[in-house]
Amino acid sequence: MAVALAAAERGWHVFPLRPDDKRPAVRDWENRATTDPARIRRCWSTGPYGIGVACGPSGLVVVDLDTPKTSTDTPPTEWAGARHGLDVLTTLADRHGHHIGVTYTVATGRGGTHLYHRHPASGPNLRNTAGTVGWLVDTRAHGGYVVAAGSTANGRPYTTTYDTDPALLPGWLADLLAPKPLPAPGPVTVVVPVDRHGRYVAAAIRRQVAHLAAAGEGTRNHALFTSAVALGQLAAGGALTDADVCAVLEPVALSVGLRHGEISRTIASGLRVGARNPRSLPAVGRAA
């Protein structure tokens, strides 16, 4: 409990891990992670839970420098001579004319290293990566978590080796971790009748596409849901099909940064809600 409270005082959102385990003890851990001392006391008073730090809500990017799993796990040619992730990160920094700066550092239970950094205030949201920048170098950011120092996993402790405020993620590393831009979505054709009802449906589609495309950070998943509900009502009334709705909304959702899994779930949920209140358009037919 004391460790969890101390992490929360730093502004890090914490949630319980199963005792002596790296797995979350709760579902929806990212949304339930908290800095509220009262909630933390209530939770950790019920059991010897470990502490998970939700990186996204905490504004953190944690660089996870691993060690080889076995003695036969040798580096690729590009990283020949490297013994662990720290060697790889050092080489990367050298290549970009920088060095690894001082930041809050944790030794993991299996001999790796976690370097905590503040997420850049501008630019895209960084997400988890696995080996993207180099051998044995992973990162945890939005959508990810790390085991906090003071926890154990399989009897192995996580310990703070350098206690200071996390440094800002270096720009050169942020550039390497930035998600690659998505290709521009191809044209989507939904056939509607060439009559006043068809024009109404086409206008409804344009309106919902524009609504989703204009959604700001943190509101995009909700905007996708409301657009799916609106078009789902037309689909339930026979003016469109569910496949039409998916074909229209999916490319736009991808272009604004939502992920495939959440897009599919959100559209399906919106279609279900829309189906409860179908919107019928008399005399609307579909072209062959």
Side-chain angles (χ1 to χ4, degrees):
M1 184 190 298
V3 173
L5 288 169
E9 287 181 2
R10 291 180 179 264
W12 299 348
H13 292 238
V14 298
F15 63 92
L17 303 177
R18 298 180 188 184
D20 197 33
D21 200 318
K22 295 195 288 187
R23 292 173 294 175
V26 295
R27 294 182 179 180
D28 197 22
W29 53 265
E30 189 167 31
N31 289 322
R32 295 177 66 178
T34 185
T35 58
D36 182 349
R39 288 180 59 194
I40 292 170
R41 290 190 180 94
R42 283 198 303 271
C43 175
W44 270 269
S45 66
T46 63
Y49 298 112
I51 304 100
V53 176
C55 296
S58 304
L60 292 173
V61 179
V62 178
V63 181
D64 180 4
L65 304 175
D66 211 345
T67 56
K69 298 294 187 290
T70 67
S71 59
T72 59
D73 188 5
T74 57
T77 303
E78 181 183 4
W79 307 109
R83 296 163 299 167
H84 40 60
L86 183 58
D87 285 343
V88 173
L89 187 66
T90 301
T91 300
L92 272 173
D94 287 344
R95 288 177 183 174
H96 288 82
H98 295 276
H99 63 277
I100 301 174
V102 173
T103 192
Y104 182 87
T105 306
V106 171
T108 71
R110 290 186 174 274
T113 302
H114 285 171
L115 303 177
Y116 285 51
H117 295 87
R118 301 195 314 276
H119 192 291
S122 59
N125 280 344
L126 303 180
R127 307 198 69 85
N128 302 334
T129 66
T132 299
V133 299
W135 183 61
L136 298 179
V137 179
D138 301 337
T139 61
R140 297 293 178 266
H142 288 273
Y145 71 90
V146 289
V147 180
S151 305
T152 64
N154 298 316
R156 300 183 180 94
Y158 283 64
T159 58
T160 303
T161 56
Y162 200 89
D163 193 355
T164 187
D165 290 335
L168 181 65
L169 185 71
W172 66 267
L173 186 52
D175 290 341
L176 290 178
L177 295 174
K180 300 295 183 291
L182 293 167
V188 175
T189 301
V190 175
V191 180
V192 295
V194 186
D195 58 19
R196 64 186 182 89
H197 296 306
R199 290 193 294 273
Y200 176 88
V201 173
I205 291 173
R206 289 195 298 270
R207 187 162 53 249
Q208 296 308 323
V209 166
H211 168 69
L212 177 55
E217 180 70 32
T219 68
R220 290 165 183 159
N221 193 62
H222 180 68
L224 175 60
F225 173 75
T226 57
S227 291
V229 171
L231 296 182
Q233 291 175 324
L234 292 174
L240 294 168
T241 67
D242 287 358
D244 288 335
V245 176
C246 293
V248 166
L249 295 181
E250 281 180 354
V252 186
L254 285 170
S255 72
V256 298
L258 297 179
R259 293 171 293 168
H260 281 284
E262 65 181 327
I263 290 170
S264 298
R265 290 190 297 270
T266 301
I267 292 177
S269 179
L271 288 171
R272 286 194 298 270
V273 173
R276 298 172 193 162
N277 187 24
R279 187 185 307 169
S280 298
L281 298 177
V284 170
R286 292 185 55 81

Short mmCIF file of all heavy atoms in Angstrom, two decimals, residues 204-241:
data_model
loop_
_atom_site.label_atom_id
_atom_site.label_comp_id
_atom_site.label_asym_id
_atom_site.label_seq_id
_atom_site.Cartn_x
_atom_site.Cartn_y
_atom_site.Cartn_z
N ALA A 204 -26.63 11.95 -44.96
CA ALA A 204 -26.43 11.41 -43.61
C ALA A 204 -25.05 10.78 -43.48
O ALA A 204 -24.37 10.94 -42.46
CB ALA A 204 -27.52 10.39 -43.28
N ILE A 205 -24.64 10.06 -44.51
CA ILE A 205 -23.30 9.44 -44.49
C ILE A 205 -22.23 10.52 -44.44
O ILE A 205 -21.30 10.45 -43.63
CB ILE A 205 -23.12 8.55 -45.73
CG1 ILE A 205 -24.01 7.31 -45.64
CG2 ILE A 205 -21.65 8.14 -45.88
CD1 ILE A 205 -24.02 6.46 -46.89
N ARG A 206 -22.34 11.54 -45.29
CA ARG A 206 -21.34 12.61 -45.29
C ARG A 206 -21.27 13.30 -43.93
O ARG A 206 -20.19 13.65 -43.44
CB ARG A 206 -21.66 13.63 -46.38
CG ARG A 206 -21.42 13.12 -47.80
CD ARG A 206 -21.41 14.28 -48.80
NE ARG A 206 -22.71 14.97 -48.82
CZ ARG A 206 -23.71 14.64 -49.62
NH1 ARG A 206 -23.58 13.60 -50.45
NH2 ARG A 206 -24.85 15.32 -49.61
N ARG A 207 -22.44 13.51 -43.32
CA ARG A 207 -22.49 14.19 -42.02
C ARG A 207 -21.77 13.37 -40.94
O ARG A 207 -21.00 13.92 -40.14
CB ARG A 207 -23.96 14.41 -41.64
CG ARG A 207 -24.16 15.27 -40.39
CD ARG A 207 -25.58 15.82 -40.32
NE ARG A 207 -26.58 14.75 -40.44
CZ ARG A 207 -27.38 14.58 -41.48
NH1 ARG A 207 -27.30 15.38 -42.53
NH2 ARG A 207 -28.27 13.58 -41.50
N GLN A 208 -21.97 12.06 -40.94
CA GLN A 208 -21.35 11.23 -39.90
C GLN A 208 -19.85 11.05 -40.16
O GLN A 208 -19.05 11.01 -39.21
CB GLN A 208 -22.05 9.87 -39.83
CG GLN A 208 -23.50 9.94 -39.39
CD GLN A 208 -23.68 10.72 -38.09
OE1 GLN A 208 -22.84 10.64 -37.19
NE2 GLN A 208 -24.76 11.49 -38.00
N VAL A 209 -19.46 10.98 -41.41
CA VAL A 209 -18.04 10.91 -41.74
C VAL A 209 -17.33 12.19 -41.29
O VAL A 209 -16.24 12.15 -40.69
CB VAL A 209 -17.85 10.67 -43.26
CG1 VAL A 209 -16.40 10.94 -43.66
CG2 VAL A 209 -18.24 9.24 -43.62
N ALA A 210 -17.94 13.33 -41.55
CA ALA A 210 -17.34 14.60 -41.14
C ALA A 210 -17.28 14.71 -39.62
O ALA A 210 -16.30 15.21 -39.06
CB ALA A 210 -18.15 15.77 -41.72
N HIS A 211 -18.33 14.23 -38.95
CA HIS A 211 -18.37 14.25 -37.48
C HIS A 211 -17.21 13.45 -36.91
O HIS A 211 -16.51 13.91 -35.99
CB HIS A 211 -19.71 13.68 -37.02
CG HIS A 211 -19.78 13.38 -35.56
ND1 HIS A 211 -19.78 14.36 -34.59
CD2 HIS A 211 -19.84 12.19 -34.89
CE1 HIS A 211 -19.85 13.80 -33.39
NE2 HIS A 211 -19.89 12.49 -33.55
N LEU A 212 -16.97 12.26 -37.44
CA LEU A 212 -15.89 11.41 -36.95
C LEU A 212 -14.53 12.01 -37.29
O LEU A 212 -13.63 12.04 -36.45
CB LEU A 212 -16.04 10.01 -37.54
CG LEU A 212 -14.95 9.00 -37.19
CD1 LEU A 212 -14.77 8.86 -35.69
CD2 LEU A 212 -15.28 7.64 -37.82
N ALA A 213 -14.37 12.50 -38.50
CA ALA A 213 -13.08 13.05 -38.92
C ALA A 213 -12.67 14.26 -38.09
O ALA A 213 -11.48 14.52 -37.89
CB ALA A 213 -13.12 13.41 -40.40
N ALA A 214 -13.65 15.01 -37.58
CA ALA A 214 -13.36 16.24 -36.82
C ALA A 214 -13.20 15.98 -35.33
O ALA A 214 -12.89 16.91 -34.57
CB ALA A 214 -14.47 17.27 -37.05
N ALA A 215 -13.40 14.75 -34.88
CA ALA A 215 -13.35 14.46 -33.44
C ALA A 215 -11.95 14.69 -32.89
O ALA A 215 -10.95 14.33 -33.51
CB ALA A 215 -13.79 13.02 -33.18
N GLY A 216 -11.89 15.29 -31.72
CA GLY A 216 -10.61 15.59 -31.09
C GLY A 216 -10.08 14.41 -30.30
O GLY A 216 -10.76 13.41 -30.06
N GLU A 217 -8.81 14.53 -29.89
CA GLU A 217 -8.16 13.50 -29.09
C GLU A 217 -8.98 13.21 -27.84
O GLU A 217 -9.42 14.11 -27.14
CB GLU A 217 -6.76 13.97 -28.69
CG GLU A 217 -5.98 12.99 -27.85
CD GLU A 217 -5.57 11.77 -28.66
OE1 GLU A 217 -5.33 11.89 -29.87
OE2 GLU A 217 -5.49 10.69 -28.05
N GLY A 218 -9.20 11.94 -27.57
CA GLY A 218 -9.95 11.53 -26.38
C GLY A 218 -11.44 11.40 -26.62
O GLY A 218 -12.16 10.90 -25.75
N THR A 219 -11.93 11.87 -27.78
CA THR A 219 -13.38 11.79 -28.07
C THR A 219 -13.66 10.93 -29.30
O THR A 219 -14.81 10.78 -29.69
CB THR A 219 -13.96 13.19 -28.30
OG1 THR A 219 -13.43 13.74 -29.53
CG2 THR A 219 -13.63 14.13 -27.15
N ARG A 220 -12.62 10.39 -29.92
CA ARG A 220 -12.80 9.74 -31.21
C ARG A 220 -13.57 8.43 -31.12
O ARG A 220 -14.39 8.14 -31.99
CB ARG A 220 -11.43 9.53 -31.87
CG ARG A 220 -10.82 10.86 -32.31
CD ARG A 220 -9.34 10.77 -32.62
NE ARG A 220 -8.82 12.08 -32.96
CZ ARG A 220 -7.53 12.41 -32.90
NH1 ARG A 220 -6.65 11.51 -32.50
NH2 ARG A 220 -7.13 13.63 -33.22
N ASN A 221 -13.32 7.66 -30.09
CA ASN A 221 -14.06 6.40 -29.96
C ASN A 221 -15.55 6.68 -29.72
O ASN A 221 -16.42 6.00 -30.28
CB ASN A 221 -13.49 5.55 -28.83
CG ASN A 221 -14.02 4.13 -28.87
OD1 ASN A 221 -13.80 3.40 -29.83
ND2 ASN A 221 -14.72 3.74 -27.83
N HIS A 222 -15.84 7.71 -28.93
CA HIS A 222 -17.25 8.07 -28.69
C HIS A 222 -17.88 8.60 -29.97
O HIS A 222 -19.05 8.30 -30.28
CB HIS A 222 -17.35 9.12 -27.59
CG HIS A 222 -18.75 9.55 -27.29
ND1 HIS A 222 -19.68 8.71 -26.71
CD2 HIS A 222 -19.42 10.72 -27.54
CE1 HIS A 222 -20.84 9.35 -26.59
NE2 HIS A 222 -20.70 10.56 -27.08
N ALA A 223 -17.13 9.39 -30.74
CA ALA A 223 -17.66 9.90 -32.01
C ALA A 223 -17.96 8.75 -32.96
O ALA A 223 -18.97 8.77 -33.68
CB ALA A 223 -16.66 10.87 -32.64
N LEU A 224 -17.09 7.75 -32.99
CA LEU A 224 -17.34 6.57 -33.83
C LEU A 224 -18.61 5.87 -33.39
O LEU A 224 -19.43 5.45 -34.23
CB LEU A 224 -16.14 5.62 -33.75
CG LEU A 224 -16.29 4.28 -34.48
CD1 LEU A 224 -16.50 4.50 -35.97
CD2 LEU A 224 -15.06 3.40 -34.23
N PHE A 225 -18.80 5.74 -32.09
CA PHE A 225 -20.01 5.08 -31.58
C PHE A 225 -21.27 5.83 -31.99
O PHE A 225 -22.23 5.23 -32.48
CB PHE A 225 -19.93 4.98 -30.05
CG PHE A 225 -21.18 4.47 -29.41
CD1 PHE A 225 -21.53 3.12 -29.47
CD2 PHE A 225 -22.03 5.33 -28.73
CE1 PHE A 225 -22.70 2.65 -28.88
CE2 PHE A 225 -23.19 4.88 -28.15
CZ PHE A 225 -23.53 3.53 -28.22
N THR A 226 -21.28 7.16 -31.80
CA THR A 226 -22.48 7.93 -32.13
C THR A 226 -22.76 7.90 -33.64
O THR A 226 -23.92 7.84 -34.06
CB THR A 226 -22.37 9.38 -31.65
OG1 THR A 226 -21.21 10.00 -32.22
CG2 THR A 226 -22.28 9.44 -30.13
N SER A 227 -21.71 7.90 -34.46
CA SER A 227 -21.91 7.80 -35.91
C SER A 227 -22.46 6.43 -36.28
O SER A 227 -23.32 6.30 -37.16
CB SER A 227 -20.60 8.07 -36.65
OG SER A 227 -20.22 9.42 -36.52
N ALA A 228 -21.96 5.39 -35.62
CA ALA A 228 -22.46 4.04 -35.89
C ALA A 228 -23.92 3.90 -35.47
O ALA A 228 -24.71 3.21 -36.14
CB ALA A 228 -21.59 3.01 -35.17
N VAL A 229 -24.29 4.55 -34.36
CA VAL A 229 -25.69 4.52 -33.94
C VAL A 229 -26.57 5.19 -34.99
O VAL A 229 -27.61 4.65 -35.40
CB VAL A 229 -25.87 5.21 -32.57
CG1 VAL A 229 -27.36 5.38 -32.23
CG2 VAL A 229 -25.18 4.40 -31.47
N ALA A 230 -26.17 6.39 -35.42
CA ALA A 230 -26.97 7.15 -36.39
C ALA A 230 -27.15 6.38 -37.69
O ALA A 230 -28.27 6.27 -38.22
CB ALA A 230 -26.34 8.51 -36.65
N LEU A 231 -26.05 5.85 -38.23
CA LEU A 231 -26.16 5.09 -39.48
C LEU A 231 -26.79 3.72 -39.24
O LEU A 231 -27.43 3.15 -40.14
CB LEU A 231 -24.79 4.95 -40.13
CG LEU A 231 -24.14 6.26 -40.58
CD1 LEU A 231 -22.80 5.99 -41.27
CD2 LEU A 231 -25.06 7.05 -41.51
N GLY A 232 -26.61 3.19 -38.03
CA GLY A 232 -27.25 1.92 -37.69
C GLY A 232 -28.76 2.01 -37.68
O GLY A 232 -29.46 1.04 -38.00
N GLN A 233 -29.29 3.18 -37.32
CA GLN A 233 -30.73 3.38 -37.38
C GLN A 233 -31.22 3.28 -38.83
O GLN A 233 -32.27 2.70 -39.12
CB GLN A 233 -31.10 4.74 -36.78
CG GLN A 233 -30.89 4.81 -35.28
CD GLN A 233 -31.15 6.20 -34.74
OE1 GLN A 233 -30.85 7.20 -35.40
NE2 GLN A 233 -31.72 6.28 -33.54
N LEU A 234 -30.46 3.88 -39.76
CA LEU A 234 -30.82 3.79 -41.18
C LEU A 234 -30.68 2.35 -41.68
O LEU A 234 -31.50 1.89 -42.49
CB LEU A 234 -29.94 4.71 -42.01
CG LEU A 234 -30.14 6.23 -41.78
CD1 LEU A 234 -29.11 7.02 -42.56
CD2 LEU A 234 -31.55 6.64 -42.19
N ALA A 235 -29.65 1.65 -41.21
CA ALA A 235 -29.48 0.26 -41.61
C ALA A 235 -30.63 -0.60 -41.11
O ALA A 235 -31.16 -1.45 -41.83
CB ALA A 235 -28.14 -0.28 -41.09
N ALA A 236 -31.05 -0.35 -39.87
CA ALA A 236 -32.17 -1.12 -39.32
C ALA A 236 -33.47 -0.82 -40.07
O ALA A 236 -34.36 -1.67 -40.14
CB ALA A 236 -32.34 -0.80 -37.83
N GLY A 237 -33.58 0.39 -40.65
CA GLY A 237 -34.76 0.75 -41.42
C GLY A 237 -34.70 0.32 -42.87
O GLY A 237 -35.67 0.53 -43.63
N GLY A 238 -33.59 -0.28 -43.29
CA GLY A 238 -33.49 -0.81 -44.63
C GLY A 238 -32.82 0.08 -45.64
O GLY A 238 -32.68 -0.29 -46.81
N ALA A 239 -32.39 1.28 -45.25
CA ALA A 239 -31.77 2.20 -46.20
C ALA A 239 -30.31 1.86 -46.48
O ALA A 239 -29.76 2.25 -47.51
CB ALA A 239 -31.87 3.63 -45.69
N LEU A 240 -29.68 1.17 -45.55
CA LEU A 240 -28.30 0.75 -45.69
C LEU A 240 -28.19 -0.68 -45.17
O LEU A 240 -29.16 -1.22 -44.64
CB LEU A 240 -27.36 1.65 -44.86
CG LEU A 240 -27.20 3.11 -45.28
CD1 LEU A 240 -26.47 3.88 -44.17
CD2 LEU A 240 -26.41 3.20 -46.58
N THR A 241 -27.00 -1.26 -45.27
CA THR A 241 -26.73 -2.53 -44.61
C THR A 241 -25.67 -2.29 -43.54
O THR A 241 -24.95 -1.28 -43.56
CB THR A 241 -26.21 -3.59 -45.60
OG1 THR A 241 -24.91 -3.18 -46.06
CG2 THR A 241 -27.16 -3.75 -46.78
#
